[in-house]
Amino acid sequence: MPKRRDIVAIILIVLPWTLLITVWHQSAITPLLSTRKDDRRDGRSNSQNAFALKDSCSLQNRDIVEVVRTEYVYSRPPPWSDVLPSIHVITPTYSRPVQKAELTRLANTLLHVPNLHWILVEDSQRTTTSVVRLLQETGLNYTHLNVETPRNYKVRGDTRDPRIPRGTIQRNLALRWLRETFSINSSQSGIVYFADDDNTYSLELFDEMRSTKKVSVWPVAFVGGLRYESPKVNKLGKVYGWKTVFDPRRPFAIDMAGFAVNLRLILSKPQAYFKLRGVKGGYQESSLLKELVTLSDLEPKAANCTKVGKQGTLHVLRPPESLEIFGCHDNLFLKSINCRLTANSLRFELI
Amino acid sequence: MATRMKLKLKTVFVLYFMVSLMGLIYALMQLGQRCDCTEHNMPKDRTISRLRGELHRFQEQLRKSEATKQPQKQPAKPTIFVITPTYARLVQKAELTRLSQTFLNVPQLHWIVVEDSPHKTPLVTDLLVKSGLTHTHLHMPTAKDRKLQEGDPSWLKPRGVEQRNEGLRWLREDRRAQPGGDNQQGVVYFADDDNTYSLQIFEEMRSTERVSVWPVGLVGGMKYERPVVEGGKVVRFHTGWRPSRPFPMDMAGFAVSLKLILANQEACFDGDAPMGFLESSLLQGLVTMDELEPKADNCSKVLVWHTRTEKPKMKREEALQAQGLGSDRAVEV
């Protein structure tokens, strides 16, 4: 009799454990199963929605590959989406011979980016008609602002003097416009990016920056005398330093076009602007970013900052002699203009 | 002894049972928790389904517009064949990227990229595939004695001659195999990879019958160079340098109709021509000045600029490389 009782006891002990183990086993497997099912579903729908791309290999025995696209939507710019966050691209610009060429080229790039809002800020007393016409012809969604840099801040002769911050007043005006136009309570999501008019941007860059929660960063090519500068990212995906040669001890050793900020962050910190006075060369970006975010909050993009998607290029007229001609012309122009300090620029001096 | 043992066994048994029961309850709680996780993913799923809905809508729109366009599709737009010579240097990827972004806005464009290289480079191959453009990738190396060396001024030797001629040769061969023979519609344009093109210039050149011309900005040391038009015909050229040339204009200032290229199988660029005569060496055999078609509002608008890109300063890179700490070569720039 005790033997039977023992057996019953043993069974009653073992049964719950086996139940437990089987339930545990199942709960460990079912999440995996559900994700695999999702992938399969996604894969099928992707192939349905993908545009047809036919590869017609060479006609003769030559290794020339000709690719013909059978479907392409030529709607420029792309229709506005209700789901994608908008990207506000702030571009300061100033009048010089290559200005129209640069803006044309930049516009040709921006025409491919959905939900883009181009904020163009001219360094001039009033908006110039050629820029107005250019903006209207592109069909882009834009805002055209202008503010003139006061004479004592303007570049004198040497365009590469790093002590004079170029475009600062214009970028600050754009930030102010954003803060006046968008309220922090609105549900509109947006990303703010500072794009100079003489750089090259890949289209993947705009896709990467759309998921910015606070501030995202990526490598930039041909800046700081290197092939590329980039943030140093550790295995946990956090930024811990900067791979630059020019003063890597800056709080944010990054180029103006190497980061993007979430609009909500801009709106929530209304005192954050680029510093005008007392800014050492290369510290412009830090003057804004240190008021917005800390190093650990940065989000590295472009495959943990291993891919280069934006290059800085400068433009020179040919042949070299013509630079002098246009240089003198510009200086004459500056001297003859009565550079009055406007109310706007005074306000930015105080910031 | 027996009762104590029984008691001990009973307590052990009860304890075990309680533990097992608690474990079961915990497992059931786990199941409950998974339900919460799926709720957490709902906003993401909602976004995905909304995006899918939008994509579906746009595709419907596209299908509708294509359907309405079908009956009007008979006069097909002539294809613009753009021949771009390119060579490997630091800014090559940036230039080609920018150029591809411009071309992506132009319908019916076929990009012929000819590399100055003994074989195709993966950088250009990947760029072309990713761009989504209709393209042809060729390569033709320049002979060593005709190549510019480091430190040579850019005007010392003509550039891109062999590559443009290779582009023309491929085009002629490819078109011979197409139906329609020599009556094919098309325009050939020589676009260098460092210039800036507005989108209007491509629409202007599409109607080229023989050779069309227009102003080019920021070239030849001038704000612009252009043909001077009187009575709808080109009478002379406004240029700052050697206006006595037969066709004193830049490579980006003219386009040739495909018919003319196919009708003159021998016409190509002459690498031995004196400096600045490269364009004339091709056009002389094709057309006379009064046959030129002025575009861009009788050559009064600048729609293309001869920009050049400054070589990036690599001082620090070179210094680092001397120490063996140069930028990672695996990262394509």
Side-chain angles (χ1 to χ4, degrees):
Chain A
M1 283 250 293
K3 275 190 188 165
R4 235 184 271 159
R5 233 184 258 159
D6 282 330
I7 291 166
V8 169
I10 288 165
I11 290 170
L12 278 169
I13 288 164
V14 170
L15 196 70
W17 283 107
T18 49
L19 265 168
L20 193 80
I21 288 165
T22 45
V23 165
W24 206 281
H25 206 52
Q26 263 198 6
S27 70
I29 285 186
T30 36
L32 289 169
L33 275 176
S34 63
T35 51
R36 229 177 275 150
K37 261 195 227 142
D38 273 350
D39 288 336
R40 254 185 277 135
R41 247 190 293 131
D42 276 356
R44 252 185 280 133
S45 48
N46 274 345
S47 58
Q48 277 174 356
N49 295 342
F51 285 35
L53 191 86
K54 291 198 197 121
D55 258 82
S56 66
C57 281
S58 53
L59 312 155
Q60 297 100 24
N61 291 331
R62 294 161 180 272
D63 56 335
I64 299 167
V65 175
E66 205 180 311
V67 176
V68 181
R69 275 193 138 246
T70 50
E71 287 175 65
Y72 186 73
V73 183
Y74 280 104
S75 67
R76 317 178 320 241
W80 198 267
S81 159
D82 294 321
V83 188
L84 292 174
S86 23
I87 298 182
H88 303 275
V89 174
I90 297 176
T91 302
T93 184
Y94 64 103
S95 182
R96 76 268 197 207
V98 294
Q99 182 193 32
K100 193 163 181 207
E102 302 285 26
L103 292 178
T104 305
R105 217 168 4 190
L106 187 55
N108 286 341
T109 302
L110 296 178
L111 278 168
H112 296 293
V113 185
N115 283 36
L116 183 118
H117 176 213
W118 197 16
I119 304 174
L120 193 62
V121 194
E122 281 196 80
D123 184 350
S124 62
Q125 264 190 349
R126 56 189 82 86
T127 57
T128 50
T129 40
S130 70
V131 175
V132 169
R133 233 181 308 131
L134 191 148
L135 284 171
Q136 283 171 348
E137 276 172 359
T138 60
L140 283 167
N141 178 17
Y142 70 89
T143 298
H144 191 182
L145 307 169
N146 70 288
V147 61
E148 194 175 18
T149 313
R151 206 167 182 192
N152 52 329
Y153 282 121
K154 255 195 175 144
V155 174
R156 262 182 244 108
D158 184 3
T159 53
R160 286 188 261 299
D161 191 341
R163 279 171 292 157
I164 302 167
R166 193 159 58 178
T168 313
I169 293 180
Q170 285 75 33
R171 292 190 193 99
N172 282 342
L173 178 67
L175 285 175
R176 203 174 118 220
W177 182 90
L178 280 171
R179 287 174 175 134
E180 282 171 3
T181 312
F182 295 99
S183 79
I184 193 168
N185 298 320
S186 75
S187 58
Q188 272 177 323
S189 55
I191 315 288
V192 178
Y193 183 52
F194 297 98
D196 289 344
D197 58 9
D198 55 3
N199 294 332
T200 305
Y201 308 93
S202 72
L203 298 178
E204 294 108 325
L205 183 68
F206 297 102
D207 289 331
E208 295 265 335
M209 71 169 77
R210 238 183 260 272
S211 55
T212 304
K213 297 195 186 62
K214 287 194 168 175
V215 175
S216 54
V217 291
W218 48 77
V220 175
F222 306 138
V223 73
L226 293 176
R227 274 177 87 231
Y228 65 90
E229 276 187 349
S230 91
K232 286 197 215 166
V233 182
N234 63 17
K235 287 204 186 75
L236 300 164
K238 290 264 175 223
V239 177
Y240 67 94
W242 308 96
K243 207 186 294 178
T244 76
V245 169
F246 174 63
D247 207 346
R249 275 191 283 261
R250 290 175 274 167
F252 294 92
I254 199 165
D255 182 72
M256 189 64 71
F259 67 92
V261 190
N262 192 315
L263 181 64
R264 201 150 290 152
L265 189 60
I266 298 275
L267 298 174
S268 65
K269 303 241 166 102
Q271 301 307 314
Y273 281 97
F274 287 103
K275 211 166 152 217
L276 268 179
R277 288 221 198 104
V279 178
K280 269 203 290 178
Y283 281 78
Q284 260 251 301
E285 297 82 3
S286 307
S287 72
L288 175 76
L289 287 173
K290 68 173 192 277
E291 300 191 37
L292 291 173
V293 82
T294 60
L295 205 71
S296 57
D297 286 333
L298 294 176
E299 302 151 47
K301 299 286 175 190
N304 267 354
C305 294
T306 54
K307 288 207 250 168
V308 174
K310 180 256 156 200
Q311 286 101 332
T313 39
L314 293 167
H315 290 271
V316 169
L317 303 163
R318 167 185 100 161
E321 303 85 62
S322 59
L323 249 185
E324 265 185 62
I325 300 168
F326 287 111
C328 290
H329 188 71
D330 272 350
N331 278 337
L332 280 168
F333 187 69
L334 278 175
K335 282 178 198 150
S336 63
I337 255 192
N338 213 355
C339 289
R340 286 168 279 130
L341 283 175
T342 61
N344 276 338
S345 46
L346 265 176
R347 235 173 281 161
F348 285 105
E349 277 207 33
L350 297 170
I351 287 169
Chain B
M1 264 283 268
T3 48
R4 238 190 284 143
M5 274 190 69
K6 261 195 197 163
L7 269 166
K8 251 195 172 171
L9 191 67
K10 223 182 187 175
T11 49
V12 167
F13 164 67
V14 168
L15 253 164
Y16 245 51
F17 196 69
M18 294 308 291
V19 169
S20 325
L21 210 70
M22 285 201 303
L24 256 170
I25 291 165
Y26 181 65
L28 282 166
M29 294 276 283
Q30 283 265 355
L31 286 165
Q33 253 185 21
R34 255 198 305 117
C35 280
D36 293 332
C37 281
T38 49
E39 266 187 27
H40 180 70
N41 275 327
M42 279 299 259
K44 275 191 198 157
D45 286 329
R46 253 185 268 132
T47 317
I48 290 171
S49 55
R50 259 163 75 190
L51 278 167
R52 279 213 199 108
E54 268 195 30
L55 188 62
H56 195 70
R57 252 191 296 131
F58 291 146
Q59 282 194 307
E60 286 292 324
Q61 270 182 21
L62 171 66
R63 249 173 260 142
K64 264 185 239 154
S65 60
E66 293 260 300
T68 51
K69 270 194 203 153
Q70 286 297 353
Q72 301 165 18
K73 224 180 178 181
Q74 269 83 30
K77 273 187 176 172
T79 308
I80 300 179
F81 295 92
V82 179
I83 298 179
T84 300
T86 183
Y87 65 103
R89 73 263 197 210
L90 282 169
V91 294
Q92 181 189 35
K93 192 176 179 191
E95 303 284 37
L96 291 178
T97 303
R98 224 178 348 201
L99 206 55
S100 70
Q101 285 161 357
T102 299
F103 291 159
L104 211 55
N105 286 308
V106 184
Q108 288 296 101
L109 184 140
H110 186 130
W111 197 17
I112 302 170
V113 178
V114 194
E115 287 195 75
D116 182 354
S117 153
H119 44 251
K120 290 189 210 174
T121 56
L123 187 147
V124 177
T125 314
D126 292 337
L127 193 143
L128 286 174
V129 168
K130 257 199 251 175
S131 70
L133 289 163
T134 308
H135 66 267
T136 300
H137 187 183
L138 308 167
H139 63 96
M140 170 62 71
T142 314
K144 253 219 159 83
D145 56 345
R146 286 181 182 270
K147 245 189 153 147
L148 279 177
Q149 302 303 321
E150 274 287 321
D152 276 349
S154 63
W155 42 262
L156 194 66
K157 295 186 185 133
R159 287 192 300 178
V161 176
E162 288 86 347
Q163 287 76 38
R164 291 189 193 97
N165 287 338
E166 166 70 7
L168 284 173
R169 186 204 60 77
W170 178 88
L171 189 60
R172 286 177 174 128
E173 212 182 283
D174 179 76
R175 293 289 114 179
R176 214 179 300 154
Q178 304 280 340
D182 283 351
N183 269 330
Q184 288 178 64
Q185 291 270 46
V187 184
V188 180
Y189 184 48
F190 299 96
D192 290 343
D193 59 7
D194 54 3
N195 292 338
T196 305
Y197 308 92
S198 73
L199 302 177
Q200 292 98 312
I201 194 68
F202 297 103
E203 297 316 310
E204 294 275 329
M205 69 170 76
R206 240 186 254 274
S207 52
T208 304
E209 297 282 317
R210 300 180 68 88
V211 174
S212 53
V213 291
W214 48 79
V216 177
L218 312 176
V219 70
M222 314 254 293
K223 266 192 158 163
Y224 61 80
E225 270 187 355
R226 67 165 176 158
V228 177
V229 178
E230 276 165 28
K233 291 235 173 265
V234 177
V235 293
R236 62 178 185 282
F237 291 90
H238 169 77
T239 166
W241 189 74
R242 285 215 198 161
S244 57
R245 293 176 278 163
F247 292 95
M249 53 185 165
D250 184 74
M251 197 65 70
F254 68 92
V256 189
S257 77
L258 183 64
K259 254 184 270 185
L260 210 57
I261 295 281
L262 297 176
N264 298 288
Q265 293 284 321
E266 301 307 311
C268 60
F269 291 100
D270 182 7
D272 294 321
M275 219 227 336
F277 282 77
L278 203 61
E279 295 84 2
S280 309
S281 70
L282 173 77
L283 292 172
Q284 262 177 320
L286 291 176
V287 79
T288 60
M289 180 147 76
D290 54 86
E291 286 175 336
L292 292 175
E293 300 149 52
K295 300 285 175 191
D297 220 1
N298 272 345
C299 293
S300 63
K301 288 204 238 169
V302 174
L303 299 171
V304 59
W305 297 263
H306 191 278
T307 45
R308 296 200 77 219
T309 303
E310 199 181 82
K311 203 171 160 199
K313 294 192 173 66
M314 292 283 116
K315 281 188 301 175
R316 296 206 176 97
E317 182 73 41
E318 285 154 18
L320 277 182
Q321 274 177 13
Q323 299 170 30
L325 298 166
S327 300
D328 188 0
R329 284 271 151 191
V331 176
E332 192 182 72
V333 170

